[in-house]
Amino acid sequence: MSKKSDATAWSFLDEYRGRLFEGQWPDVRTMFHISVLRFPDNDCFKAFSPKEISFTYREAEEKIRAVSNYLLSHGAEKGEKIAVSGKNSPEWAIAYLGIIYAGCIVVPLDILLKDNEMETLLKFGDVTRLFIDADRIGNIDKDGSLGLIEKISLEPAEGYRYILDLDGEDREGYGTRSDDVVAILFTSGTTGTPKGVMLTNENLVSDCYLAQGYIDFHPDDVFYAILPIHHSYTMLAVMFESFSVGACTVFGKKLVMSQMLKELREAHVTQFLAVPMLFNKMIAALMKGVREKGVLVYALIRALMTLSGAIKKLTGVNLGKKMFSFLLKKLSMENIRTCICGGGPLPSSTFKRFNQIGVNFVQGYGLTETSPVTHLNPPYAYKESSVGKSLPQCQVKIVDPDDEGNGVIYIKGPMVMKGYYKNEEATREVLSDDGWLNTGDVGHQDQSGYLYLTGRAKSVIVTDGGKNVFPEEIEDHFQLYDEIDQICIIGYLIDKATKAEGIRAIIHPSESAMKKYRSEDELQERMDEIISDVNKELQSYKKITRLEISSSPLPMTSTKKIKRNEVVRMYGD
């Protein structure tokens, strides 16, 4: 795969600039409408469960305009905050875009929030209307204290309007400028002051197109939205990227491996975006199957994989696609052109093995506050241990680097948020007057602009020797141990006077490990062995000195990240 000019991905906008929009980027509404003009009969949104439903671009925009017309006919005003919460579905996407078409601000909320947590965010966000799934619609704002004007169901529900039945007098939505906020995404906020990230038209649209400076997306691509769509990663990197080029988004409702593999195959998915945990499990299951064929077969396949990967990296020739088609079919990946991993650190071995078997596998980096993508590994020039190269127009600086060059990562560019909603103090803490965002992440860059992450500044452990240890660095070493389902590295106090910390591992074993090692002593012995093996790979000051086995799963976000702060509260000294 050869390098392309950064601007070719969005050069088609020249045809519409001055006619449909002014400036460098269209707003979100115009971006979608341009794809409707270019690809009216392409599939746009599709789902297979609970029943198959599909919309072409022309049909999708008709439904989007119907939602917009309904809102405007019922008094919606410019900038009004309207929330959408539900399982991944075409209806979710139609609600999201219908709100923006009306000139209102969309507030996507996690459907896994408890009722009181959701109500807290609805109130803080000054939300006036809510689109939500049928099984939750009656639970929210039961007493009317939130003052919601209306709740609209994303599924047929008795007593509530269904989104696909909405209509109203044909009206043009309120106009929006490039710096107008179009979405508020909450990164947390069930306790304390919520952080609602305000993203503008320019933030979302620029980030969508600039990412295409490194990765090719085509009108005949099929994207798979299996991670929660309210999250910035899936919302932008799947839904926005898809409709920006006239491609199709297939919505998966459940992160169940058997159903996911079935939908990947049935939908002929070509662009698959997920998190490290999912890709680790897929490649581990695949290699386990190869091992079961015997030592000689395993050795032969690993040798061929190594050869395939070397040729692909050196020449760009992808022999693995045909050579390992039988393996790709086992993962329902025979149609996949690109896999993109985000949302956390990925072992370089996982990155390498997917590329070896013929998948253009890359990883990226970003934050909700950056819309979210700031870095991507170009498929034609990837580095397995890096989270990627900064996007065009994205500036990066490393502040207060240590002896190894690791410092706090700062980002500046058109993708950086406008600020936190109703929280100027929090905004000032991370966003400078001249536009530099303190990501809170620590890492370093090489001379080619590739970024390498070390960890989160807030989770750093300070040892008795004064060394800084980032938990993520240690956790990476455990990702391919099948016996471990979850691991969280935290510090524990060993000296109150100096506040020096030791390193502690909290492990939730896999179900298979708990069945295999039936007694607590056997399980403890095996986990101790794994800790010992990993400690051999670590520098002396990074070695784990305490182990806690948790019989219950560790708390996680809907995007499968461990809630480190909650683990610290549960197990910290």
Side-chain angles (χ1 to χ4, degrees):
M1 186 177 293
S2 60
K3 187 182 188 304
K4 62 177 182 175
S5 168
D6 290 341
T8 56
W10 55 88
S11 59
F12 70 90
L13 292 175
D14 293 342
E15 181 184 344
Y16 303 96
R17 189 177 290 106
R19 185 158 60 92
L20 294 183
F21 70 96
E22 303 293 337
Q24 184 174 15
W25 308 111
D27 61 10
V28 173
R29 175 171 55 189
T30 305
M31 179 170 72
F32 187 86
H33 182 61
I34 287 173
S35 286
V36 175
L37 295 176
R38 297 176 75 205
F39 311 104
D41 298 319
N42 278 16
D43 283 339
C44 179
F45 300 137
K46 182 179 286 188
F48 289 96
S49 175
K51 64 178 182 179
E52 187 168 342
I53 183 172
S54 180
F55 298 90
T56 64
Y57 273 83
R58 182 188 289 112
E59 292 166 343
E61 190 176 47
E62 286 175 1
K63 292 297 182 183
I64 290 163
R65 287 193 184 279
V67 172
S68 173
N69 289 337
Y70 177 85
L71 293 172
L72 294 169
S73 297
H74 287 75
E77 298 178 353
K78 180 177 180 178
E80 188 173 316
K81 287 83 177 176
I82 302 176
V84 55
S85 182
K87 297 178 288 292
N88 292 3
S89 67
E91 291 92 336
W92 193 102
I94 287 166
Y96 181 100
L97 289 167
I99 292 165
I100 291 177
Y101 261 59
C104 301
I105 296 173
V106 62
V107 184
L109 296 176
D110 188 350
I111 194 62
L112 296 183
L113 289 170
K114 296 175 183 175
D115 293 344
N116 65 311
E117 293 171 343
M118 188 176 291
E119 288 176 343
T120 295
L121 296 183
L122 290 169
K123 184 176 182 179
F124 180 84
D126 302 309
V127 169
T128 58
R129 307 166 203 258
L130 172 65
F131 291 84
I132 192 168
D133 283 351
D135 60 347
R136 295 290 300 278
I137 197 166
N139 300 339
I140 304 299
D141 196 27
K142 280 184 177 178
D143 60 4
S145 60
L146 293 178
L148 293 178
I149 295 170
E150 187 177 16
K151 294 182 289 184
I152 299 168
S153 183
L154 296 174
E155 304 163 310
E158 188 176 347
Y160 296 94
R161 294 183 186 274
Y162 173 40
I163 183 172
L164 296 185
D165 293 335
L166 297 183
D167 206 352
E169 181 184 339
D170 194 20
R171 300 188 181 194
E172 189 62 34
Y174 295 102
T176 57
R177 302 187 307 270
S178 63
D179 64 344
D180 280 345
V181 174
V182 290
I184 298 175
L185 278 63
F186 285 100
T187 59
S188 61
T190 56
T191 60
T193 303
K195 284 186 176 178
V197 176
M198 296 188 292
L199 299 178
T200 66
N201 280 301
E202 182 184 27
N203 291 156
L204 293 168
V205 175
S206 68
D207 200 49
C208 176
Y209 285 123
L210 292 172
Q212 294 172 39
Y214 293 155
I215 298 181
D216 285 314
F217 297 130
H218 304 149
D220 59 355
D221 271 326
V222 178
F223 288 69
Y224 187 46
I226 187 59
L227 299 175
I229 195 77
H230 77 277
H231 192 272
S232 60
Y233 176 41
T234 311
M235 188 180 69
L236 190 288
V238 178
M239 189 173 76
F240 269 69
E241 292 292 358
S242 176
F243 71 63
S244 73
V245 298
C248 178
T249 298
V250 172
F251 296 89
K253 290 185 185 292
K254 292 182 180 179
L255 195 57
V256 176
M257 189 65 74
S258 58
Q259 184 171 327
M260 187 188 77
L261 296 180
K262 181 173 181 286
E263 291 178 340
L264 283 172
R265 180 172 290 115
E266 285 185 8
H268 298 283
V269 171
T270 61
Q271 302 291 341
F272 182 34
L273 288 80
V275 291
M277 181 189 73
L278 186 55
F279 285 124
N280 288 335
K281 286 186 175 181
M282 292 175 77
I283 200 69
L286 187 71
M287 298 314 296
K288 181 182 178 184
V290 174
R291 280 193 198 93
E292 289 172 353
K293 294 185 180 297
V295 176
L296 290 177
V297 172
Y298 179 75
L300 176 62
I301 288 178
R302 288 294 293 119
L304 290 173
M305 284 173 62
T306 301
L307 177 64
S308 166
I311 292 172
K312 184 173 186 284
K313 189 158 189 179
L314 291 171
T315 69
V317 176
N318 188 359
L319 297 179
K321 189 80 172 176
K322 287 186 178 179
M323 189 183 297
F324 299 110
S325 60
F326 66 101
L327 292 179
L328 292 173
K329 284 181 180 177
K330 288 182 180 296
L331 293 176
S332 298
M333 281 187 159
E334 60 266 37
N335 299 305
I336 301 289
R337 286 203 307 110
T338 313
C339 283
I340 301 176
C341 183
L346 178 80
S348 58
S349 57
T350 297
F351 193 151
K352 187 179 294 184
R353 286 178 181 176
F354 271 106
N355 274 296
Q356 288 174 340
I357 62 173
V359 175
N360 287 323
F361 190 96
V362 301
Q363 63 175 324
Y365 168 74
L367 310 166
T368 302
E369 288 87 345
T370 58
S371 304
V373 186
T374 63
H375 290 72
L376 279 174
N377 259 288
Y380 50 81
Y382 57 87
K383 297 185 179 183
E384 288 97 346
S385 56
S386 169
V387 293
K389 191 175 182 180
S390 59
L391 299 186
Q393 300 182 26
C394 176
Q395 301 176 59
V396 183
K397 65 180 179 181
I398 306 297
V399 176
D400 297 328
D402 61 16
D403 294 341
E404 297 176 349
N406 290 308
V408 179
I409 301 163
Y410 279 67
I411 302 287
K412 185 178 182 179
M415 66 288 295
V416 172
M417 69 169 181
K418 197 165 189 174
Y420 294 118
Y421 184 64
K422 295 192 328 189
N423 199 336
E424 291 184 11
E425 182 180 351
T427 301
R428 285 194 299 270
E429 286 178 3
V430 300
L431 192 59
S432 68
D433 291 339
D434 58 351
W436 283 100
L437 177 77
N438 179 344
T439 67
D441 286 326
V442 176
H444 65 275
Q445 284 190 108
D446 64 20
Q447 292 182 338
S448 301
Y450 285 79
L451 184 67
Y452 302 80
L453 294 185
T454 308
R456 290 288 295 170
K458 287 183 179 179
S459 61
V460 66
I461 299 167
V462 183
T463 69
D464 56 354
K467 291 283 191 179
N468 289 343
V469 177
F470 296 95
E472 295 86 350
E473 281 187 297
I474 300 174
E475 289 163 357
D476 282 354
H477 289 268
F478 292 87
Q479 290 200 47
L480 298 180
Y481 280 93
D482 293 344
E483 293 116 316
I484 294 177
D485 189 51
Q486 296 172 301
I487 182 164
C488 184
I489 299 295
I490 61 176
Y492 68 93
L493 201 62
I494 59 175
D495 190 321
K496 288 185 179 180
T498 63
K499 296 185 178 179
E501 295 177 287
I503 298 170
R504 184 180 192 179
I506 314 299
I507 287 177
H508 173 56
S510 66
E511 188 176 342
S512 60
M514 287 190 277
K515 287 180 179 177
K516 182 177 180 180
Y517 307 103
R518 293 186 178 277
S519 73
E520 288 185 12
D521 289 343
E522 285 180 321
L523 188 61
Q524 181 76 45
E525 184 179 349
R526 176 54 187 149
M527 294 300 115
D528 284 336
E529 286 177 0
I530 293 174
I531 293 291
S532 178
D533 288 344
V534 169
N535 274 343
K536 291 173 185 176
E537 303 171 7
L538 299 172
Q539 293 166 280
S540 58
Y541 68 91
K542 294 181 181 177
K543 294 186 186 300
I544 297 163
T545 51
R546 270 197 195 179
L547 168 63
E548 180 86 27
I549 296 176
S550 172
S551 58
S552 302
L554 302 179
M556 299 185 80
T557 68
S558 58
T559 51
K560 305 305 176 185
K561 289 183 183 177
I562 291 174
K563 295 180 178 179
R564 193 180 302 278
N565 289 342
E566 288 193 22
V567 175
V568 170
R569 283 197 293 270
M570 292 163 63
Y571 293 96
D573 293 336

